[in-house]
Amino acid sequence: MTIEGGCRCGATRYAIAADHIDAIYCCHCTDCQRWSGSAFSEQAVVRENAISATGPVIEFTLTTPSGAQSHQRACGVCHNRLWNSNSSRPGIVTVRAGTLDHNRTLTPRAHIWTKSKQPWVVLPNDVPAFEENAPIAEFTAILTR
Ligand SMILES: [Zn+2]
Ligand SMILES: [Zn+2]
């Protein structure tokens, strides 16, 4: 089965070879707030070889504070950012979960960078939350359980 999504203008569509996506998290860091133009970003972690796209995908690269290369993919028409890979995490990509067609069915499994969370965002008590980045082993365990 595939899970589909796309940009706002419709020129770029993508498909993920998976039955369901469980690895969903929200990031409340100030970069995500600025980049999304919103209170936080919602992300879906999927295998890089599972995603394919049709349409005018453009790519741009930036260097993160840790020195890794972040490769961002966006629609070439409307510039809606869709997913990214990172040289420090080979083999996986992070999809902007709000661009998935079925985004209403997703439930975040973790919240990170809550120290910069907007004060009006109230998190559920039963979902793990981390002040900054989650320790990678713990984060992986939460997302893949
Ligand atoms: Zn577009
Ligand atoms: Zn962030």
Side-chain angles (χ1 to χ4, degrees), residues 53-137:
T54 56
V57 177
I58 56 172
E59 181 177 331
F60 62 100
T61 299
L62 57 99
T63 302
T64 69
S66 65
Q69 298 295 300
S70 175
H71 302 283
Q72 303 285 327
R73 274 73 163 198
C75 171
V77 177
C78 69
H79 292 196
N80 194 161
R81 204 162 56 102
L82 297 168
W83 76 91
N84 70 280
S85 56
N86 188 299
S87 61
S88 69
R89 299 188 301 270
I92 62 168
V93 298
T94 306
V95 179
R96 308 283 87 75
T99 67
L100 290 162
D101 293 344
H102 75 308
N103 59 30
R104 284 178 60 85
T105 68
L106 306 173
T107 304
R109 289 184 164 192
H111 292 267
I112 62 173
W113 284 95
T114 58
K115 76 177 189 183
S116 50
K117 177 179 77 60
Q118 296 292 329
W120 52 266
V121 173
V122 180
L123 303 180
N125 287 326
D126 58 345
V127 177
F130 300 87
E131 287 258 297
E132 297 184 358
N133 276 321
I136 190 67

Side-chain angles (χ1 to χ4, degrees), residues 7-12 75 77-78:
C7 68
R8 176 162 180 187
C9 82
T12 300
C75 171
V77 177
C78 69

